[in-house]
Structure formats: C-alpha cells, structure tokens
Amino acid sequence: MYKWLMFVVFIAASVLGLYLITFNLPEKPVDESASLPEGMVLMKIQASNDFVFDQEVYTVKQGDTVRMKLVNKSGIHGLEIPELGIKLEGDELQKDIVFDKPGEYKIACSIPCGTGHATMISTLVVEAA
C-alpha cells in the first residue's frame, strides 16, 4: 500500500517539476548591444521607486555615438540633462546622441515621482578624447 502511495507522490512531483520547467522559467536575458549599429554604444539607465538611478556616475568618451535608454524598473520616471538638451520621458525613452563636449553633466529625474524626487540625481561624465 505504501509503495503505491509513494509511487503516486513521485509521479505527481515529476509532472509538477516538468510543468514548472516547461512553462515558468524566466526568459533568457537579451544582449541589446548586439543589435546596435556599428560603432554605437548602449547606455542603459535604470530608474526605480527608491528614487535612484542604477549608477551614480555614467561615463562616455567624447565623440562616441551613444544610444541612451531609460528603463523604469519600478514606478514612472523620466530623465533630463538640461545642459545637453536631452529629455527622455513618456513614449520617448531612448535617444541616439553624439557627445561632442567633454565635461560633467547632471542627470535628473524629469517626472515628479514622490518624496525623493529632488534627490534622484546622477552624473554623466564625457571624457575628452
């Protein structure tokens, strides 16, 4: 009797395991930079509800062609670099840019997103060639 019960439990666990493996595995990460045109660099900036960007400092080289992409990990955010005239929000969350002037630029959230919005700041460093 116990052998049959153990057999049924084993089969049920095996079927459940196969179902989970087949249907509930997370998707494999996609290398987005592989689909970029020749000579273009991807700068992916993630914003989250804890009022931070994923890095304190982003670095590019002067003259590089960069696809700047904002990813809202949680919440609704925007990105603005006023000195360079860059604004990513709404339907336009990516932009191709050539950084001509070296220097340090402030990256700020452009959409009021809560109590920590004013401190949601990062820095873009454009290194001289």
Side-chain angles (χ1 to χ4, degrees):
M1 170 95 174
Y2 290 112
K3 289 181 184 178
W4 280 103
L5 182 60
M6 292 302 289
F7 179 72
V8 168
V9 169
F10 175 75
I11 295 298
S14 298
V15 168
L16 178 63
L18 285 172
Y19 173 80
L20 291 174
I21 288 173
T22 305
F23 296 106
N24 286 342
L25 285 178
E27 295 181 17
K28 293 180 181 176
V30 177
D31 182 15
E32 295 178 62
S33 60
S35 64
L36 294 175
E38 184 78 25
M40 185 176 282
V41 179
L42 178 66
M43 179 191 300
K44 191 173 186 179
I45 301 172
Q46 291 186 354
S48 62
N49 256 359
D50 49 352
F51 308 110
V52 295
F53 294 109
D54 62 327
Q55 296 179 31
E56 289 184 23
V57 178
Y58 298 89
T59 306
V60 296
K61 294 187 191 293
Q62 179 183 6
D64 279 357
T65 303
V66 176
R67 176 162 293 164
M68 186 177 279
K69 182 175 184 178
L70 175 65
V71 177
N72 285 316
K73 191 174 179 184
S74 59
I76 298 174
H77 304 280
L79 179 147
E80 185 173 25
I81 307 173
E83 299 90 353
L84 299 176
I86 298 170
K87 193 169 193 174
L88 302 177
E89 62 183 31
D91 292 337
E92 186 182 339
L93 293 178
Q94 75 178 27
K95 189 172 194 175
D96 296 343
I97 305 158
V98 177
F99 292 101
D100 295 330
K101 296 185 282 185
E104 288 191 14
Y105 304 96
K106 182 175 104 173
I107 300 173
C109 181
S110 62
I111 297 175
C113 53
T115 57
H117 170 72
T119 61
M120 194 167 176
I121 297 171
S122 254
T123 303
L124 171 67
V125 176
V126 179
E127 297 176 335

